[in-house]
């Protein structure tokens, strides 16, 4: 999630200051302060903020170090736009022009050693500190944000040792941080090398199949619907105050419609296959390793991992669900495409299904997606409604008239 959106969505500066300060106070007895849009007379205390590159970095950082971090932002499938973005990255990171392209700046008084050569990457629920000297990353849970995201990540990465991602070195769930290996990779949708992208995607799907096999459980459809109904009720109760009563009612109406569609299929004896899922199985989290590495893929960002329908991850990928605009069209275009649905189910480790069940799998996926979005929008002091969530509701509301 880009910094420009975070600044609009939440009181990011306060969240940033408290999250960084708490970690430094607990880890090295730091007693300094963080000041935004002020400059220090000590050069090594000054940081620049580039909202477009989603990067906060020491003003004196070398161009080479920054280029490695910002590599993916140079790519665009359109050749002209790719050229423009490459020029922008070059100018934004150049020692000569980086200050011009930085939207804000800050300084950290009495800067600790760990931040003297570190870049900071803001995220949805966490803040990543990349130590350029040790090639390690410290990931901090944002102050007052949901603890379960960090707990999910640590639980999955400790339980499933086959996960081909950065090595997990240390973690402290109580104080909300973990330390991991720094990796060098590029998302599979940010490269023109289709062979490498396909190879990494296949490796990621293979990893997930192993996890599904280990954690697989079956539950009667009626029992599963009851569980999701409770999850939905909790999610609606936790929706931030910026959401209107009308929007809350729309969530409930869409869930009721999906429940009715499931019931109308008249397959109550169906068992839902569930497993531990990645939860955010999208191109941005499937990386092609750039250095020589025995791993064929880096599968990252396990904050959303939890038990769901086993086919959830691959349906997220197939329908491009993390970009909800146009989702209704993509689903309607495939809802009768039995060969495509069957292929995706097989990729998810589900081999037997009927045409009637294909629709059921789509409805179950959509129910999971609503619950996912409800959890994701549970952000402290959210100032504006989440655009992705509102778009999803609009798309689903539009879709049901055509089913």
């Amino acid at each position: 999630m880009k910094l420009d959106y975070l600044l609009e969505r939440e009181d990011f500066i306060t969240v940033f200051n408290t999250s960084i300060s708490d970690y430094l106070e607990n880890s090295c007895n730091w007693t300094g302060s963080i000041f935004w849009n002020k400059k220090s007379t000590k050069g090594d205390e000054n940081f620049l903020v580039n909202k477009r590159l989603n990067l906060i970095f020491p003003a004196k950082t070398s161009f080479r170090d920054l280029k490695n971090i910002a590599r993916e932002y140079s790519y665009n499938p359109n050749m002209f736009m790719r050229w423009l973005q490459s020029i922008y990255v070059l100018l934004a990171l150049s020692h000569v022009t980086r200050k011009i392209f930085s939207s804000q700046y800050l300084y950290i008084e009495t800067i600790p050693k760990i931040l003297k050569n570190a870049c900071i990457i803001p995220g949805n629920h966490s803040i990543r500190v990349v130590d350029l000297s040790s090639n390690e990353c410290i990931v901090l849970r944002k102050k007052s944000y949901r603890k379960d995201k960090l707990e999910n990540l640590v639980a999955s990465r400790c339980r499933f040792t086959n996960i081909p991602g950065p090595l997990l070195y240390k973690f402290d769930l109580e104080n909300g941080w973990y330390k991991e290996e720094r990796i060098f990779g590029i998302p599979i949708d940010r490269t023109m090398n289709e062979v490498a992208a396909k190879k990494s995607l296949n490796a990621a799907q293979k990893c997930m199949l192993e996890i599904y096999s280990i954690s697989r459980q079956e539950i009667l459809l009626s029992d599963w619907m009851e569980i999701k109904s409770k999850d939905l009720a909790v999610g609606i109760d936790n929706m931030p105050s910026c959401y209107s009563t009308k929007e809350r009612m729309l969530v409930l109406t869409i869930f009721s419609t999906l429940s009715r569609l499931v019931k109308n299929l008249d397959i109550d004896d169906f068992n839902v296959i569930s497993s531990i899922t990645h939860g955010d199985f999208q191109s941005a989290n499937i990386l092609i390793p750039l250095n020589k590495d025995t791993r064929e893929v880096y599968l990252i960002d396990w904050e959303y991992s939890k038990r769901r329908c086993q086919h959830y991850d691959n349906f997220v990928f197939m329908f491009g669900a993390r970009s909800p605009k146009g989702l209704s069209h993509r689903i309607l275009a495939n809802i009768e495409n039995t060969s495509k649905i069957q292929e995706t189910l097989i990729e998810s480790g589900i081999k037997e299904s009927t045409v009637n069940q294909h629709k059921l799998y789509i409805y179950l996926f959509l129910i999971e997606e609503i619950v996912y979005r409800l959890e994701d929008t549970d952000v402290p002091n959210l100032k504006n409604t989440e655009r992705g969530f509102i778009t999803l509701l609009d798309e689903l509301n539009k879709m049901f008239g055509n089913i």
Side-chain angles (χ1 to χ4, degrees):
M1 185 169 288
K2 292 289 185 69
L3 181 52
D4 54 355
Y5 181 58
L6 292 174
L7 288 164
E8 172 190 325
R9 182 187 80 161
E10 61 194 57
D11 185 4
F12 176 77
I13 291 177
T14 298
V15 172
F16 176 89
N17 287 2
T18 54
S19 302
I20 295 289
S21 297
D22 279 5
Y23 173 75
L24 294 177
E25 289 166 7
N26 291 327
S27 63
C28 58
N29 297 317
W30 179 73
T31 57
S33 299
I34 302 173
F35 301 94
W36 283 71
N37 296 320
K38 293 183 179 180
K39 295 181 180 179
S40 171
T41 55
K42 299 178 181 179
D44 63 351
E45 293 184 337
N46 292 310
F47 284 68
L48 299 176
V49 180
N50 189 299
K51 294 191 294 186
R52 289 183 179 275
L53 298 181
N54 197 43
L55 195 58
I56 301 172
F57 59 94
K60 295 183 177 181
T61 307
S62 75
F63 174 81
R64 181 179 180 181
D65 283 337
L66 292 175
K67 186 179 179 181
N68 283 332
I69 292 179
R71 185 191 301 263
E72 68 178 88
Y73 300 107
S74 299
Y75 178 79
N76 189 291
N78 180 284
M79 185 177 296
F80 178 68
M81 290 301 297
R82 185 161 64 246
W83 177 76
L84 286 180
Q85 287 181 205
S86 296
I87 294 297
Y88 175 82
V89 170
L90 177 64
L91 294 174
L93 303 184
S94 167
H95 279 287
V96 178
T97 52
R98 62 176 56 168
K99 290 182 180 179
I100 299 172
F101 285 84
S102 295
S103 56
Q104 291 176 284
Y105 47 89
L106 61 90
Y107 85 85
I108 301 177
E109 185 181 54
T110 319
I111 187 166
K113 182 179 179 181
I114 188 175
L115 293 182
K116 284 189 175 182
N117 191 30
C119 292
I120 302 172
I121 304 173
N124 195 10
H125 296 277
S126 61
I127 296 172
R128 177 175 296 269
V129 179
V130 182
D131 188 334
L132 301 174
S133 299
S134 65
N135 272 337
E136 295 179 344
C137 297
I138 298 172
V139 183
L140 315 176
R141 184 185 73 239
K142 285 183 177 179
K143 183 70 173 178
S144 301
Y145 274 56
R146 295 176 60 125
K147 294 182 178 181
D148 62 336
K149 293 291 183 287
L150 182 61
E151 292 168 350
N152 292 342
L153 179 145
V154 170
S156 291
R157 289 174 62 177
C158 288
R159 179 181 179 186
F160 305 111
T161 56
N162 66 313
I163 292 175
L167 299 175
L168 183 64
Y169 294 141
K170 297 179 181 178
F171 60 87
D172 185 337
L173 295 178
E174 182 65 28
N175 289 306
W177 62 267
Y178 65 91
K179 181 183 290 189
E180 67 179 10
E181 170 194 16
R182 182 190 176 193
I183 55 174
F184 296 85
I186 189 168
I188 60 173
D189 63 347
R190 293 277 176 175
T191 179
M192 291 182 287
N193 189 337
E194 294 182 6
V195 173
K198 182 64 175 176
K199 182 179 179 181
S200 291
L201 174 60
N202 289 341
Q205 290 175 324
K206 180 181 178 182
C207 163
M208 293 312 306
L209 278 173
E210 293 173 2
I211 290 174
Y212 300 154
S213 177
I214 294 170
S215 60
R216 177 176 171 135
Q217 294 179 3
E218 294 190 17
I219 181 172
L220 194 64
L221 176 60
S222 58
D223 293 338
W224 186 90
M225 291 296 294
E226 184 177 347
I227 291 171
K228 292 303 157 182
S229 179
K230 292 178 181 178
D231 289 344
L232 185 95
V234 172
I236 292 175
D237 285 343
N238 290 340
M239 289 175 72
S241 59
C242 59
Y243 287 94
S244 65
T245 301
K246 181 180 178 181
E247 288 161 340
R248 296 167 194 263
M249 288 303 299
L250 180 57
V251 175
L252 193 57
T253 299
I254 290 172
F255 179 80
S256 297
T257 302
L258 282 165
S259 299
R260 175 175 54 80
L261 290 169
V262 169
K263 187 174 181 179
N264 289 347
L265 293 174
D266 196 26
I267 43 179
D268 291 339
D269 59 343
F270 180 83
N271 281 338
V272 175
I273 301 173
S274 73
S275 298
I276 300 300
T277 60
H278 180 277
D280 198 14
F281 196 76
Q282 57 163 318
S283 297
N285 293 329
I286 305 170
L287 308 186
I288 303 169
L290 294 176
N291 291 350
K292 291 182 179 180
D293 198 317
T294 56
R295 291 166 286 190
E296 294 179 322
V297 66
Y298 298 135
L299 186 53
I300 63 170
D301 288 357
W302 289 80
E303 289 90 344
Y304 296 96
S305 60
K306 64 183 297 186
R307 181 167 295 280
R308 297 183 181 89
C309 293
Q310 186 166 299
H311 64 287
Y312 177 74
D313 286 332
N314 281 304
F315 273 49
V316 166
F317 191 88
M318 174 176 64
F319 290 126
R322 292 300 166 264
S323 299
K325 187 172 179 60
L327 180 63
S328 60
H329 172 75
R330 296 192 292 272
I331 289 177
L332 290 171
N334 284 283
I335 199 166
E336 302 295 342
N337 187 348
T338 56
S339 61
K340 180 63 176 177
I341 299 297
Q342 185 65 34
E343 178 186 345
T344 306
L345 289 171
I346 291 172
E347 290 173 346
S348 306
I350 300 171
K351 297 181 180 179
E352 296 181 4
S353 62
T354 64
V355 173
N356 211 29
Q357 289 173 353
H358 289 172
K359 290 185 178 180
L360 175 62
Y361 282 115
I362 291 177
Y363 300 154
L364 298 184
F365 158 71
L366 290 175
I367 290 171
E368 293 280 23
E369 184 67 3
I370 293 170
V371 173
Y372 165 90
R373 291 285 182 176
L374 281 170
E375 292 179 355
D376 200 41
T377 200
D378 182 11
V379 173
N381 303 312
L382 187 68
K383 294 192 291 186
N384 300 298
T385 57
E386 291 275 18
R387 291 184 297 227
F389 186 37
I390 296 300
T391 301
L392 174 69
L393 296 180
D394 290 342
E395 290 286 329
L396 295 182
N397 197 35
K398 178 170 56 178
M399 184 180 72
F400 290 132
N402 295 296
I403 293 182

